[in-house]
Amino acid sequence: MTDLHPDIERILISEDDIQRRVAEIAAEIDRDYKDAGQVVLVGILKGAFIFTADLSRKLSVPHSVDFMSISSYGDTAESAGAVRLILDLRKPITDRHVIVVEDIVDTGHTMNYLHQTLMGRNPASLKICSLFKKNRDSLDVPLDYVGFDLPDVWVVGYGLDYADTHRTLPYIAELKKEVYS
Ligand code: PRP
């Protein structure tokens, strides 16, 4: 086995387990959307770019891929939960079947904002797919497809970062506490 990066405490979810779960989610979406016609996957940058690419390549239903980028302010008590749109979709989603593709739902603030924003554009349907979820109770919207629950530690890999590093690790790993504290 290759040596772990010195910032990494331990691997939480292996590459094989991630790829197997992505294939299962793709199969579920294929079943649910088999008569829907063209679907729009909305990947949320940056974290979801790897999951969006893998999911898209495993899907059989006809679909296009678009992206949005969201930034959260949450550094102070007053701004906690406030999010801002950095990059919007290229095309309207009115009357389209939309699936939001996220890497992780943590506090749920990003997803609450996205759900409200996208519903306001009158899609034919809107579902949420997140590969990872932390167990928080501030999420107002249902998650339709979830890959794995994660413990409340700093996780990196498969799109998730620490200061924009470690996104390309093929597995999910716990970061050593001394790296971020
Ligand atoms: C991460 C992740 C989600 C969001 C989830 O993005 O990709 O979009 O946080 O957190 P929440 O449920 O607490 O709102 P981040 O803001 O780190 O940006 P990035 O994807 O560009 O790294």
Side-chain angles (χ1 to χ4, degrees), residues 41-107:
L41 294 190
V42 174
I44 307 304
L45 299 172
K46 300 177 198 175
F49 78 109
I50 290 176
F51 178 38
T52 305
D54 282 353
L55 182 67
S56 171
R57 287 179 293 184
K58 287 185 164 84
L59 281 177
S60 300
V61 287
H63 64 279
S64 60
V65 179
D66 207 339
F67 291 97
M68 291 174 91
S69 181
I70 309 292
S71 161
S72 51
Y73 290 113
D75 292 339
T76 65
E78 299 81 57
S79 66
V83 296
R84 182 166 60 106
L85 186 60
I86 302 293
L87 174 78
D88 206 345
L89 298 171
R90 289 252 194 124
K91 291 192 176 165
I93 54 164
T94 309
D95 298 330
R96 308 292 305 276
H97 292 289
V98 175
I99 304 175
V100 176
V101 181
E102 256 293 20
D103 50 340
I104 187 166
V105 174
D106 184 355
T107 63

Side-chain angles (χ1 to χ4, degrees), residues 13 18 103-105 130-133 148 150 158 160 172:
I13 306 174
I18 292 174
D103 50 340
I104 187 166
V105 174
S130 184
L131 188 54
F132 306 110
K133 176 171 87 63
F148 302 91
L150 287 177
Y158 203 73
L160 295 164
I172 286 289

